Amino acid sequence: MLVRAAVASAMLMMVAPVAAADLPKGVYLRSQDLCAQARKESLQAVIEAGNAMLSARGIDAIEYNCEFVQVTRASRIPTWLVDAVCEEPDYIWPDVLTVTERMAGQLDVVSVKLDEPESGAIDNGGTFFLCEGLTAP
């Protein structure tokens, strides 16, 4: 009985969401120009125009989200390995990403999912820039 409880507890730890507290905080967009536009208009307006936002919880866009469910920090480089579950209407898939802090306020994201331009889906990879003064909706 004790062994069964220990195994169940270990399995729960493997599937329970890991807080992304270790990822850099803030709202990140794909350019400083988008950050300026979001401060001027609103973050929601920039997202509604078809842009993706990166935060510690994941990647969000209109009719698209990619939730970070497990985040592990590398020990020797400023990089995190992220297991994610992504969703768009009628389609859900897993993704694995690396998030690397190249310089303060800049995150480079690489996804194992290949970009499919004809599908119209958001590409998880690319460079994201910290948008000072913005908070996630």
Side-chain angles (χ1 to χ4, degrees), residues 7 21 66 79 95 128:
V7 169
C66 200
T79 298
D95 198 357
F128 289 82

Side-chain angles (χ1 to χ4, degrees), residues 22-25 28 73 77-80 98-109 127-128 130:
D22 197 26
L23 281 171
K25 303 244 186 291
Y28 291 77
R73 173 121 190 197
I77 55 177
T79 298
W80 296 263
T98 57
V99 178
T100 303
E101 189 171 29
R102 293 286 178 203
M103 60 181 54
Q106 180 180 326
L107 300 176
D108 289 341
V109 179
T127 300
F128 289 82
L130 178 62

Side-chain angles (χ1 to χ4, degrees), residues 50-131:
N51 297 290
M53 174 195 74
L54 173 74
S55 69
R57 70 176 181 213
I59 299 171
D60 292 290
I62 294 298
E63 294 191 353
Y64 178 85
N65 72 76
C66 200
E67 180 183 348
F68 295 170
V69 293
Q70 185 166 19
V71 178
T72 306
R73 173 121 190 197
S75 61
R76 296 187 297 165
I77 55 177
T79 298
W80 296 263
L81 180 66
V82 179
D83 291 327
V85 177
C86 304
E87 175 185 34
E88 61 186 30
D90 301 321
Y91 187 55
I92 297 174
W93 68 95
D95 198 357
V96 177
L97 309 121
T98 57
V99 178
T100 303
E101 189 171 29
R102 293 286 178 203
M103 60 181 54
Q106 180 180 326
L107 300 176
D108 289 341
V109 179
V110 176
S111 166
V112 298
K113 182 181 181 299
L114 298 176
D115 185 23
E116 300 169 16
E118 66 279 351
S119 76
I122 299 288
D123 179 16
N124 287 337
T127 300
F128 289 82
F129 298 89
L130 178 62
C131 300

Side-chain angles (χ1 to χ4, degrees), residues 27-31 34-35 38 43 46 52-53 127-129 131 134:
V27 169
Y28 291 77
L29 295 172
R30 295 196 187 258
S31 74
L34 287 173
C35 291
L43 180 57
V46 169
M53 174 195 74
T127 300
F128 289 82
F129 298 89
C131 300
L134 296 180

